[in-house]
Amino acid sequence: MTTSVAKGQRGSMSKWMSGLACGAALAWLPGYSMLIGVMLIPLIAVCLLDTSRGEVMARMMMPYAFAALVHPFHMLWDADGSMEAAVTLLMNPMTSVVGWCAAGGGWFVFELAIVGVKLTRQFQVRQRKAAIAKELTALAEEWDEQTAESPEAVA
């Protein structure tokens, strides 16, 4: 079996197992699944709408979104994870607002990191350009001195 075929089969097997796990979570833990689904709407939207870096962006946003899920999960745990408790939690607008703002914070940190990397690279390029210009000036002066000392080499 070739490597590409093996990777393709692993990928489809992974998707199949993920789907099975999601179905099991929906069946056994519907309250938690609904809470996770609503709180991760921004991540799903990023994955679907941003084709260039959606998956990377969602990975960056995920820890922030899960950090915002800690308190609602604790409240849902205290209510035995019932569907009614999940609906009650989601009816409180602050639950969704805090979770979505946390995901937005992850997006902001990612974008800020990209800007920081670009500025750092520009600074490094400018420093390198100045060093090369200084070296070129020194070489040009050295060559000018050599040609001034030996006029017969010019002729």
Side-chain angles (χ1 to χ4, degrees), residues 9 22 37-38 49 51 64 68 71 76-78 89 98 120 129 137 140 149-150:
Q9 287 179 348
C22 287
V38 170
L49 298 176
T51 58
Y64 294 88
H71 182 65
L76 191 59
W77 180 269
D78 286 342
L89 278 171
V98 167
T120 303
K129 185 178 177 181
T137 305
E149 290 175 2
S150 56

Side-chain angles (χ1 to χ4, degrees), residues 115-129:
V115 169
V117 167
K118 285 182 180 180
L119 288 175
T120 303
R121 285 184 180 170
Q122 285 180 353
F123 180 71
Q124 289 172 346
V125 165
R126 285 185 182 160
Q127 280 185 329
R128 182 70 181 140
K129 185 178 177 181

Side-chain angles (χ1 to χ4, degrees), residues 10 15 18 31 42 44 63 66 72 86-87 108-109 119 129 145 151:
R10 266 188 269 141
K15 288 180 184 178
S18 296
I44 295 167
F66 279 126
V87 170
F108 182 72
V109 167
L119 288 175
K129 185 178 177 181
E145 288 174 5

